[in-house]
């Protein structure tokens, strides 16, 4: 029983796990947001076939379990191409692509929320396509997309817990290890749950703050 | 091929794989089919289990969701608070953590249930948090005139709620509840981590038996995607059918 109790070391272990979870979350979110936005811009420029291809891939990613995607990348791709993939690499690749698929949809609808007349007016004023994108579409689309994007990121943080299944020692895996050692499931999973909850709340708060700043121009200021 | 041959000398496993790789290019898709064919029964069993879990969990989620939605729409501050906290907690903690909490925690309380029951319970509770939002907005979308008319007719609050408000709210919620169901189907794959061999769990077994994880998981991914796609079309039709009269208003 001596080694089965909780010790101060376990706090370090939990924080380590939280660090891994947050690192993966932040990096994959960043890559996912950039990639998703790029894919949406490709759609705007109407490249041949690219649009159909992107739609197909994003629909596949959105409509299948992330766990299966993780298995495909972690077990499937190494077997097919005979390459070594570490759990961390597989997790990074899968989560980034998965986030990109959802970001793509959000950005596309954000771009579509902008009146066609604005784009046409910009073109008539002699702005190039890039200038229209940069100065007319982007500022409004970003303000429009912040809300859904925050909801997505809160969700993606929770999705990172799945990477524990392929062996990444993230917060959930640390919880699993502590659970097996101490045999106190209530305490362990409550603590893990609280940590995830707090992280999710911080993301939601930050997203709300950014959204308020970006939409301040149209906020109700009273009479 | 030359690189493949040198690897083949080192390990037996790679030799088998190289050979498979070669025949694969020859036989193509046929081989995937013939290789997976003996395992179709197992996969079908898994799919059936997924359907069972999801149907039960959907029923559970609607019941929990309706109860929570009622609490959130009620006049009591305490009930509203409890409902809000419930939704907040179960939407902001990963499902995997919730699942482990129940799977390892329930036996501590002396409740010994199998993985199937635990899975359905956890999915119902988590799904209920999402369903409550849907049902609540269904309730809020109801024309106040309808409720007033029911009051004028002298119907009790209970009857008004159960016979007037809920049927309309649920009818209006068919499509969004469908998205909850699709989410449940995707989430149910996580139940494979607590030894429940539903579709993903049985695919894991097949992948380890055939040594062909890529094909198995690619097929699985396609299966999930096409299943949820077809389901979303069916739900949209069902929603339109049920709401023929009110569709313009919504």
């Amino acid at each position: 029983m001596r080694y089965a109790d909780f010790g101060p070391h376990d706090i370090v272990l939990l924080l380590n796990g939280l660090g891994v979870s947050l690192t993966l979350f932040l990096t994959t979110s960043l890559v996912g947001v950039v990639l998703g936005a790029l894919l949406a811009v490709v759609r705007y420029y109407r490249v041949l076939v690219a649009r159909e291809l992107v739609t197909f891939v994003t629909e596949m990613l959105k409509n299948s379990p992330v766990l299966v995607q993780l298995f495909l990348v972690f077990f499937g791709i190494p077997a097919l191409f005979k390459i070594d993939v570490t759990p961390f690499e597989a997790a990074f690749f899968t989560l980034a692509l998965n986030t990109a698929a959802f970001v793509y949809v959000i950005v596309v609808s954000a771009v579509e929320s902008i009146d066609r007349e604005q784009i046409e007016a910009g073109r008539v004023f002699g702005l190039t396509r890039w200038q229209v994108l940069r100065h007319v579409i982007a500022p409004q689309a970003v303000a429009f997309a912040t809300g859904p994007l925050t909801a997505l990121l809160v969700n993606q943080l929770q999705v990172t817990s799945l990477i524990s299944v392929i062996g990444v020692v993230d917060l959930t895996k640390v919880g699993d290890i502590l659970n097996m050692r101490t045999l106190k499931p209530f305490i362990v999973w409550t603590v893990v749950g609280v940590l995830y909850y707090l992280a999710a709340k911080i993301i939601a708060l930050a997203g709300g703050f950014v959204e308020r700043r970006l939409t301040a121009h149209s906020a109700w200021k009273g009479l | 091929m030359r690189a493949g041959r040198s690897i083949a000398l080192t390990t037996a496993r790679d030799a088998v794989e190289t050979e498979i790789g070669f025949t694969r290019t020859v036989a193509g898709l046929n081989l995937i089919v013939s290789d997976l064919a003996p395992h179709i029964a197992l996969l079908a069993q898994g799919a059936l289990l997924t359907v069972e879990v999801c149907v039960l969990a959907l029923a559970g989620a609607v019941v929990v969701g309706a109860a929570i939605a009622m609490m959130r729409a009620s006049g009591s501050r305490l009930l509203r608070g409890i409902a809000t906290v419930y939704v907040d907690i179960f939407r902001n903690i990963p499902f995997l953590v919730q699942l482990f909490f129940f799977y390892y925690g329930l036996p501590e309380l002396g409740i010994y249930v199998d993985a199937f029951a635990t899975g359905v319970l956890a999915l119902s509770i988590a799904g209920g948090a999402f369903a409550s939002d849907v049902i609540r907005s269904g309730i809020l979308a109801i024309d106040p005139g309808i409720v007033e008319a029911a009051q004028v007719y002298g119907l009790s609050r209970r009857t008004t709620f159960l016979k007037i408000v809920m049927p309309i709210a649920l009818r209006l919620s068919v499509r969004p509840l469908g998205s909850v169901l699709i989410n449940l189907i995707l989430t149910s794959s996580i139940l494979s981590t607590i030894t429940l061999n539903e579709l993903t769990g049985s695919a894991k077994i097949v992948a380890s038996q055939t040594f062909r994880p890529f094909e198995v998981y690619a097929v699985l991914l396609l299966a999930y995607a096409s299943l949820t796609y077809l389901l979303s079309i069916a739900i949209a039709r069902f929603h339109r059918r049920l709401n023929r009269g009110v569709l313009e208003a919504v």
Side-chain angles (χ1 to χ4, degrees), chain A residues 24-106:
Chain A
L24 255 170
F25 165 73
L26 289 174
T27 48
T28 57
S29 297
L30 195 68
V31 173
V33 168
V34 171
L35 191 62
L38 279 179
L39 290 176
V41 171
V42 165
R43 191 187 158 95
Y44 172 71
Y45 278 99
R46 296 196 193 155
V47 184
L48 201 68
V49 206
R51 185 173 173 164
E52 282 72 23
L53 191 71
V54 169
T55 308
F56 177 74
V57 173
T58 50
E59 282 301 313
M60 292 293 286
L61 284 169
K62 279 170 56 200
N63 287 312
S64 61
V66 182
L67 199 58
V68 176
Q69 296 166 20
L70 276 172
F71 285 165
L72 185 66
V73 173
F74 184 60
F75 297 115
I77 285 182
L80 190 72
F81 297 110
K82 302 202 172 30
I83 49 168
D84 281 329
V85 175
T86 65
F88 194 88
E89 286 163 4
F92 183 86
F93 184 70
T94 314
L95 290 178
L97 274 187
N98 189 265
T99 310
F102 285 94
V103 170
Y104 168 74
V105 178
I106 291 174

Side-chain angles (χ1 to χ4, degrees), chain B residues 2 19 23 28 31 45 47 57 65 71 87 92 98 107 124 155 161 193 197 200 211 213 222 243:
Chain B
R2 175 164 247 150
E19 207 174 292
T23 28
L31 199 82
Q45 260 177 19
M71 286 165 73
V87 173
N92 282 311
Q98 295 174 30
S124 304
L155 298 181
F161 196 81
T193 57
N197 287 327
T200 305
F211 292 113
L222 270 172
N243 295 294

